[in-house]
Amino acid sequence: MIVVSSKIMAKFLHIADIHLGISRYRRFGTADRTRDFFEAWSDCIQRYALEEQVDFVLIAGDFFDTRRVEPQAMNHAMFCLMKLKAAGIPVIVIEGNHDQREASNQFSWLRSLSRWGFVRLLEPFYEDDGTIRFDSWNEQRGSGSYIDIETRDAKFRIFGTTWYGTTVTRQLPILVDEVRQHRREDAFNVMLLHTDVEGQMNRPIPALPVAKINELKAVVDYLALGHTHKNFEIDGWVYNPGSLEACSVDEYANIRGAYLVEVKEGKHEARLMRDYHQRPFVRFRFEVSGRATPEELHEALFAALRSEITPHDPDDEDSLAPVLELTLAGQLGFKSSLLEINRLREEIREEFHPFLCIARDITVPVEYAVATGSSEHYSRGDRERRVIESLIARDARYQLQATEMTDLTLEAKRLALAEEQPEKIVALIEQRLSALPVASMESAS
Ligand SMILES: [Mn+2]
């Protein structure tokens, strides 16, 4: 396809992980963060695509938070897609792990949007024997694996891939071969890929090694990544903008944004743009140790809050109320049932007017204090083990197997953090439980 442009320089916008329709915040029950994701998307498109008059927009996966798109999320998507279409700016999209088509279903909303001309969904195709095939873009069908975009000053060939999960390392050589066969010598070759990269994320799960990515360097000028929800760049040719908004409280501290990329004579310059609607976030941690009563804790907590946090002015329309995350840590000096965390949150809302107050209670209740003992001498891991073991030992049925049960608990936790399939974790638990001596389990019931 051809785009005629009269600008001096070719320009495109690279974003990823928009997560439209995100609903994971609803369990906090108070404020609609879903709207923030729309505002981020809409503000970003207005500023960096429409006002900058870019030649095209790249979305490197997870445009939608779920493959079954909610009506509201589709409204949010179309609000901008219609404007971009009217402005003649093509939107090039790949699937992410969140909006990937079900393997058994040939339909998906991304495919439909592509067919209707609102996005260009790029994806590899598969021969009957399972080998990957890259097809050129077909405008009538609204499908293809790569697409050409030409401006007055630059020619682009853009390649799409899909979500490969942990098989990405194995698939990459095949993708490199396909791109080598189909790349255009006289064009700026771009590839979209949704993957984690080793050393760039906080999760202990397999990711693509940088050495593997470098195999693409010979065939690709700009690798447009998505998936990791924080910004990073490698060697001036691999770019990951990060999600547009924070998808969980753990992501608030991450840098994220949108890449505005200018291309001239085969050289590019990518700038991370961050001046769009992003909900501010305030993290506040309070040590409860040494507060003997709920009243004492309350007084000390609010004194600390007042000295460090400026209440948001609800009448100030120019500033966004922040999400306030309160973490209570340390050893509780009284029964945990006396810690009324919901009431504390209510009072914080009334006094400081945050957009949302998330309260996390990671205190060690006085009931469990025995297990931690003089906790300073133990590592975090040791303390975790001692707490779990003492809790298990309180149950007469498991007293004799407390050590084995603790091992099992910790292993199940490790697997869950590594995003192992739930069925596999359940299978492991069943197998280990059946291996424990039965007599003692019956004796106490
Ligand atoms: Mn994502």
Side-chain angles (χ1 to χ4, degrees):
M1 67 153 298
I2 308 286
V3 174
V4 181
S5 156
S6 58
K7 293 192 306 295
I8 309 295
M9 206 169 297
K11 224 191 261 187
F12 66 88
L13 180 69
H14 164 202
I15 51 180
D17 299 276
I18 326 295
H19 286 270
L20 289 178
I22 193 164
S23 58
R24 272 167 270 166
Y25 286 93
R26 282 184 198 146
R27 68 196 165 95
F28 296 115
T30 47
D32 185 9
R33 277 274 292 153
T34 310
R35 176 97 199 164
D36 279 341
F37 284 73
F38 165 63
E39 300 278 1
W41 151 247
S42 147
D43 200 15
C44 186
I45 290 300
Q46 185 60 41
R47 284 168 197 249
Y48 306 128
L50 296 166
E51 284 169 26
E52 290 282 343
Q53 295 183 282
V54 295
D55 295 297
F56 55 92
V57 174
L58 302 178
I59 301 179
D62 287 359
F63 182 31
F64 294 108
D65 190 57
T66 51
R67 59 165 68 108
R68 308 220 161 181
V69 179
E70 295 267 342
Q72 185 196 33
M74 190 56 86
N75 283 342
H76 288 169
M78 290 306 290
F79 183 84
C80 294
L81 291 179
M82 288 194 294
K83 287 185 183 179
L84 289 163
K85 192 173 162 73
I89 300 174
V91 180
I92 292 140
V93 178
I94 59 166
E95 288 181 341
N97 52 316
H98 281 264
D99 51 14
Q100 189 177 37
R101 173 178 67 87
E102 283 166 83
S104 59
N105 194 338
Q106 59 165 312
F107 295 97
S108 76
W109 286 117
L110 287 178
R111 281 191 170 176
S112 296
L113 287 171
S114 192
R115 182 124 205 173
W116 302 332
F118 288 102
V119 302
R120 269 80 172 168
L121 173 67
L122 297 182
E123 53 182 337
F125 297 94
Y126 295 88
E127 304 286 6
D128 291 338
D129 65 359
T131 51
I132 291 182
R133 190 186 79 229
F134 270 33
D135 280 353
S136 63
W137 182 252
N138 180 309
E139 187 71 21
Q140 271 79 50
R141 288 203 309 266
S143 76
S145 317
Y146 59 89
I147 190 169
D148 287 341
I149 291 184
E150 295 188 12
T151 73
R152 204 186 66 179
D153 309 286
K155 297 184 177 79
F156 294 90
R157 179 160 286 184
I158 303 157
F159 294 89
T161 57
T162 189
W163 163 251
Y164 299 102
T166 51
T167 69
V168 65
T169 307
R170 213 168 56 220
Q171 299 282 358
L172 202 73
I174 303 164
L175 298 173
V176 173
D177 278 348
E178 283 298 310
V179 175
R180 188 180 292 119
Q181 272 181 47
H182 296 285
R183 75 189 293 273
R184 207 174 141 181
E185 287 303 329
D186 66 339
F188 189 81
N189 292 278
V190 176
M191 181 168 145
L192 291 150
L193 184 63
H194 196 75
T195 184
D196 272 329
V197 174
E198 241 172 49
Q200 298 290 350
M201 59 334 154
N202 319 313
R203 292 168 281 183
I205 53 172
L208 192 59
V210 176
K212 278 275 169 193
I213 287 192
N214 282 334
E215 292 174 16
L216 276 168
K217 196 172 182 176
V219 293
V220 163
D221 299 296
Y222 184 106
L223 183 60
L225 293 181
H227 191 47
T228 309
H229 290 185
K230 72 171 187 193
N231 169 246
F232 65 87
E233 182 207 316
I234 304 171
D235 290 344
W237 74 284
V238 179
Y239 296 90
N240 186 77
S243 55
L244 273 192
E245 252 283 9
C247 295
S248 74
V249 287
D250 298 325
E251 292 176 10
Y252 274 106
N254 295 351
I255 305 257
R256 65 187 77 79
Y259 275 115
L260 190 57
V261 188
E262 291 179 342
V263 178
K264 198 179 184 183
E265 288 157 8
K267 302 257 181 290
H268 72 274
E269 191 195 340
R271 277 181 298 152
L272 188 73
M273 313 306 277
R274 306 185 59 208
D275 185 20
Y276 61 88
H277 179 111
Q278 278 196 43
R279 179 69 58 186
F281 178 72
V282 176
R283 249 187 168 157
F284 192 85
R285 187 183 168 99
F286 184 74
E287 283 290 328
V288 302
S289 306
R291 317 287 170 194
T293 64
E295 293 73 27
E296 222 179 279
L297 188 151
H298 185 280
E299 199 177 316
L301 169 65
F302 275 80
L305 282 167
R306 284 175 196 131
S307 75
E308 285 190 40
I309 293 175
T310 314
H312 176 75
D313 177 1
D315 297 325
D316 179 2
E317 289 181 1
D318 293 330
S319 79
L320 288 171
V323 171
L324 173 61
E325 185 203 46
L326 168 71
T327 302
L328 297 178
Q331 198 146 309
L332 208 54
F334 47 87
K335 283 183 89 165
S336 56
S337 58
L338 296 175
L339 180 67
E340 293 180 275
I341 200 139
N342 286 335
R343 210 193 61 176
L344 289 176
R345 196 167 53 204
E346 219 27 71
E347 288 181 34
I348 289 169
R349 278 227 296 271
E350 277 166 28
E351 183 167 339
F352 296 94
H353 310 290
F355 179 74
L356 177 67
C357 179
I358 299 167
R360 292 200 313 142
D361 175 12
I362 56 165
T363 58
V364 179
V366 71
E367 300 94 304
Y368 303 161
V370 185
T372 54
S374 45
S375 54
E376 288 78 31
H377 304 306
Y378 296 97
S379 71
R380 193 192 152 92
D382 284 342
R383 266 183 286 157
E384 181 181 31
R385 160 167 283 281
R386 284 161 64 92
V387 168
I388 292 171
E389 194 163 341
S390 90
L391 287 176
I392 291 171
R394 267 160 222 233
D395 190 321
R397 289 169 299 173
Y398 306 116
Q399 218 163 32
L400 295 173
Q401 294 92 19
T403 308
E404 290 86 346
M405 294 285 284
T406 304
D407 288 340
L408 178 56
T409 307
L410 289 170
E411 192 164 343
K413 180 190 161 188
R414 247 193 321 273
L415 292 172
L417 286 176
E419 295 183 18
E420 183 56 272
Q421 292 169 1
E423 305 80 57
K424 288 200 179 160
I425 303 178
V426 170
L428 171 89
I429 293 172
E430 281 175 345
Q431 180 223 326
R432 291 284 187 82
L433 283 182
S434 66
L436 289 176
V438 179
S440 60
M441 301 206 26
E442 287 172 344
S443 65
S445 55

